[in-house]
Amino acid sequence: MQNNFRIDSIFHEVGYSFDIPLEIHQELIREIDLKLKSGEISLFGKEEYSLFVIVNTGKEIKDLAIKKSYQSKKERYLEYVIYIPFKVVSNNEAQVNMILTYLDYLSLGIEKVLAIHKADTKVIEDIFRNTKSKVLHSDSLYH
């Protein structure tokens, strides 16, 4: 079994989605996936586990929430939905601020998932801190 990490988005309401550059999600996926594969992030005290995160938003979502949608101990696979409040993120006029707010919520959601499974969240904090720094200091990559 090979560790994997994925982020996907499901938006059930028309007009409720975040304009996040694909490069940001790709970088987060790559970094978190590497940490899973290296064993720096382990779930259930085991190094071989896959984690799938689905991001969801809509007008009814007012606060950050997470919900387990699937778990298979046999397949060593976890799937969670992270509900991110649309209005709070999208109220930022500057796209950079919107991206940073979105990253804050996504980071907190993933940290909560890892904390449930007693995994170290410091690795996630570092990954997101680096990504936010790149967003702030990039002239075009994330804008």
Side-chain angles (χ1 to χ4, degrees):
M1 167 105 188
Q2 186 174 1
N3 295 329
N4 291 298
F5 176 76
R6 295 186 326 201
I7 300 174
D8 201 1
S9 301
I10 297 177
F11 304 112
H12 296 286
E13 297 176 65
V14 175
Y16 288 88
S17 63
F18 299 123
D19 184 21
I20 306 297
L22 181 60
E23 295 85 3
I24 291 175
H25 275 166
Q26 289 173 333
E27 181 171 334
L28 290 170
I29 291 167
R30 185 174 43 254
E31 292 296 317
I32 295 171
D33 196 51
L34 284 171
K35 301 301 183 186
L36 276 167
K37 286 180 171 133
S38 72
E40 289 180 65
I41 299 173
S42 61
L43 301 168
F44 300 106
K46 298 176 181 156
E47 293 177 5
E48 291 186 1
Y49 241 95
S50 294
L51 177 61
F52 182 35
V53 173
I54 301 168
V55 175
N56 195 347
T57 192
K59 65 184 172 191
E60 77 287 350
I61 299 171
K62 306 295 184 214
D63 296 308
L64 175 72
I66 62 167
K67 180 181 174 188
K68 185 189 307 180
S69 64
Y70 181 76
Q71 175 179 336
S72 171
K73 289 186 179 181
K74 180 181 177 186
E75 298 170 5
R76 295 186 176 184
Y77 179 86
L78 285 173
E79 182 176 280
Y80 277 84
V81 179
I82 299 176
Y83 297 92
I84 296 178
F86 179 79
K87 191 170 186 177
V88 175
V89 174
S90 64
N91 274 348
N92 293 288
E93 290 185 25
Q95 185 179 17
V96 170
N97 292 336
M98 189 265 308
I99 292 169
L100 294 173
T101 304
Y102 169 82
L103 290 173
D104 285 340
Y105 277 103
L106 183 59
S107 174
L108 286 172
I110 293 172
E111 288 172 28
K112 284 184 174 196
V113 168
L114 294 179
I116 288 169
H117 299 286
K118 298 180 181 18
D120 186 8
T121 60
K122 183 175 178 349
V123 174
I124 296 298
E125 293 168 13
D126 293 342
I127 290 170
F128 275 86
R129 185 175 24 262
N130 291 338
T131 302
K132 289 189 286 186
S133 178
K134 289 178 185 177
V135 169
L136 281 170
H137 297 99
S138 172
D139 290 334
S140 62
L141 181 61
Y142 300 113
H143 307 115

